[in-house]
């Protein structure tokens, strides 16, 4: 069973993916973290040109292993980490390496809930279930802002909102596997929902799919 949960930054997809995986006893894979881990060694480095940046990013992707997902360095989860992740994510060879890792992890039983940008379109186009989890830019920015404040960071709401808009643009306009809703993904708008409400909304589809699969295995 593969459940693909795609959507833009701060839509709530990561939290909901984790909760859904727990509820249905599936593995959770945060594919964004693979891109963040790839970007971490490049933060603060100077590159003479784009070719140099790309070569370093491809090298970093080649050094990623699944075990790193369990204890990422703190910087991977910062705004800086997200920006660098979206810069390495435009490189097709980086995407190929990270896609192979995702396929490898998710094929292990009993299956997985994977959140990202291209899971339902490119990584697992045949996923049993696909969701597109989104929210208005205002609610996404205030969620991220609250999160950063709780961590004692001083980024202003305007700066957080601008960083989200820039990342949305980079993610949806890149040539390689752009962020886009799969045609068969269920749309979940989370601006006015609590996290429990989002879990409930997804569960309706998942329960129906499980009943369906059970029915067809009995026939
Ligand atoms: O989801 P998260 O914010 O951690 O992702 C960081 C960045 O990694 C995204 O902005 C995007 O550029 C990239 N990414 C991607 N494909 C995925 C997951 C993340 O391109 N499946």
């Amino acid at each position: 069973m593969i459940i693909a949960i795609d959507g833009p930054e701060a839509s709530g997809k990561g939290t909901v993916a984790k909760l859904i995986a727990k509820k249905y006893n599936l593995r959770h894979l945060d594919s964004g973290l693979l891109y963040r881990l790839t970007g971490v060694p490049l933060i603060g480095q100077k590159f003479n040109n784009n070719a140099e940046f790309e070569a370093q990013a491809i090298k970093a992707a080649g050094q990623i292993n699944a075990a790193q997902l369990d204890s990422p360095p703190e910087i991977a989860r910062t705004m800086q980490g997200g920006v660098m992740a979206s810069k390495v994510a435009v490189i097709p060879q980086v995407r190929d390496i990270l896609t192979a890792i995702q396929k490898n992890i998710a094929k292990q039983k009993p299956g997985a809930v994977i959140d990202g940008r291209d899971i339902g379109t490119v990584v697992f186009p045949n996923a049993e279930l696909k969701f597109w989890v989104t929210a208005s830019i205002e609610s996404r920015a205030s969620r991220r802002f609250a999160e950063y404040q709780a961590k004692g960071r001083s980024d202003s709401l305007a700066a957080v909102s601008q960083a989200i808009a820039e990342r949305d643009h980079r993610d949806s306009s890149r040539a390689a596997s752009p962020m886009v809703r799969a045609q068969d993904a269920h749309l979940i708008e989370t601006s006015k929902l609590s996290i429990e409400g989002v879990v409930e909304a997804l569960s309706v589809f998942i329960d129906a799919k499980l009943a369906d699969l059970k029915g067809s295995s009995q026939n």
Side-chain angles (χ1 to χ4, degrees):
M1 173 96 162
I2 298 284
I3 301 178
I5 304 184
D6 289 304
E9 182 186 3
S11 57
K13 66 184 186 321
T15 311
V16 85
K18 206 180 293 166
L19 292 169
I20 289 287
K22 196 160 175 229
K23 179 170 176 184
Y24 292 95
N25 273 320
L26 295 166
R27 177 190 292 262
H28 169 228
L29 174 57
D30 169 3
S31 67
L33 187 51
L34 290 169
Y35 289 89
R36 287 172 183 263
L37 287 169
T38 301
V40 165
L42 283 71
I43 292 174
Q45 279 201 50
K46 291 263 175 291
F47 301 97
N48 292 316
N49 51 51
N50 202 41
E52 214 175 88
F53 172 75
E54 290 194 357
Q56 287 299 318
I58 294 164
K59 188 170 163 214
Q63 287 167 348
I64 298 284
N65 65 68
Q68 288 171 275
L69 291 167
D70 298 328
S71 49
E74 209 173 301
I75 193 165
R77 296 275 189 208
T78 61
M79 193 152 90
Q80 214 182 359
V83 170
M84 188 54 91
S86 76
K87 289 184 177 167
V88 302
V90 306
I91 306 166
Q93 293 95 319
V94 166
R95 304 201 68 84
D96 289 346
I97 295 169
L98 301 185
T99 296
I101 297 177
Q102 293 166 57
K103 287 188 169 158
N104 228 342
I105 296 176
K107 75 178 181 204
Q108 297 162 23
K109 285 204 177 319
V113 180
I114 307 142
D115 68 275
R117 305 288 189 288
D118 63 341
I119 308 304
T121 48
V122 174
V123 185
F124 292 106
N126 298 321
E128 276 81 8
L129 272 167
K130 299 179 188 177
F131 295 98
W132 179 255
V133 175
T134 190
S136 68
I137 181 101
E138 292 79 16
S139 25
R140 292 192 285 132
S142 38
R143 279 178 199 160
R144 263 291 180 274
F145 177 66
E147 234 174 78
Y148 288 154
Q149 286 228 311
K151 287 184 184 156
R153 293 172 51 103
S154 58
D155 313 87
S156 70
L157 178 60
V160 173
S161 178
Q162 190 184 338
I164 290 180
E166 280 170 12
R167 193 125 72 87
D168 280 359
H169 176 71
R170 197 177 299 119
D171 287 348
S172 50
S173 63
R174 68 180 174 226
S177 312
M179 169 174 80
V180 64
R181 176 183 169 191
Q183 275 183 349
D184 49 350
H186 301 289
L187 174 68
I188 312 286
E189 222 296 343
T190 69
S191 303
K192 296 202 171 82
L193 292 177
S194 65
I195 194 68
E196 293 77 23
V198 183
V199 169
E200 223 167 274
L202 269 72
S203 299
V204 171
F205 293 102
I206 299 170
D207 292 340
K209 175 57 82 176
L210 287 173
D212 218 37
L213 291 172
K214 204 169 159 200
S216 49
S217 74
Q218 281 168 355
N219 291 334

